[in-house]
Amino acid sequence: LWKTNYTEELAAASGTVSITLLSTAQLDLVPMLVLRSGREGSKLHAIPFELDMTGNPWFPGGLGRVACEVLGSKSLGDSTAFLCAVTE
């Protein structure tokens, strides 16, 4: 995740992350989720989502999803790689 992204900050602080593999029917979500910062306001207000056991959002209708615990991280300069264990 890019270090300037709010998602990177949330994953590092919470130690958890949820990942949804979007379907082609959900491609219209990409600009809303990727091109806007969560620091500017909620990106999820107009998007159907649910919360996993740890409170992270995921998107119904996707091809699949995983909830993960962050085990470690590695700085890659302008981004951070997270090593995660699937918990759900």
Side-chain angles (χ1 to χ4, degrees):
L1 296 171
W2 296 112
K3 289 184 178 177
T4 57
N5 289 3
Y6 189 44
T7 302
E8 190 271 353
E9 184 180 319
L10 293 173
S14 71
T16 62
V17 65
S18 185
I19 302 167
T20 304
L21 180 59
L22 298 176
S23 69
T24 55
Q26 294 174 303
L27 289 179
D28 59 331
L29 297 180
V30 173
M32 292 183 273
L33 295 171
V34 177
L35 301 178
R36 288 188 50 218
S37 172
R39 289 186 182 93
E40 298 168 1
S42 175
K43 298 192 289 185
L44 304 177
H45 71 278
I47 301 172
F49 70 94
E50 295 184 24
L51 299 177
D52 66 18
M53 293 184 340
T54 59
N56 292 310
W58 63 277
F59 306 101
L63 300 176
R65 74 167 181 97
V66 292
C68 301
E69 175 186 357
V70 174
L71 301 177
S73 63
K74 171 83 173 153
S75 175
L76 303 175
D78 58 0
S79 60
T80 304
F82 291 96
L83 175 64
C84 297
V86 175
T87 58
E88 182 182 343

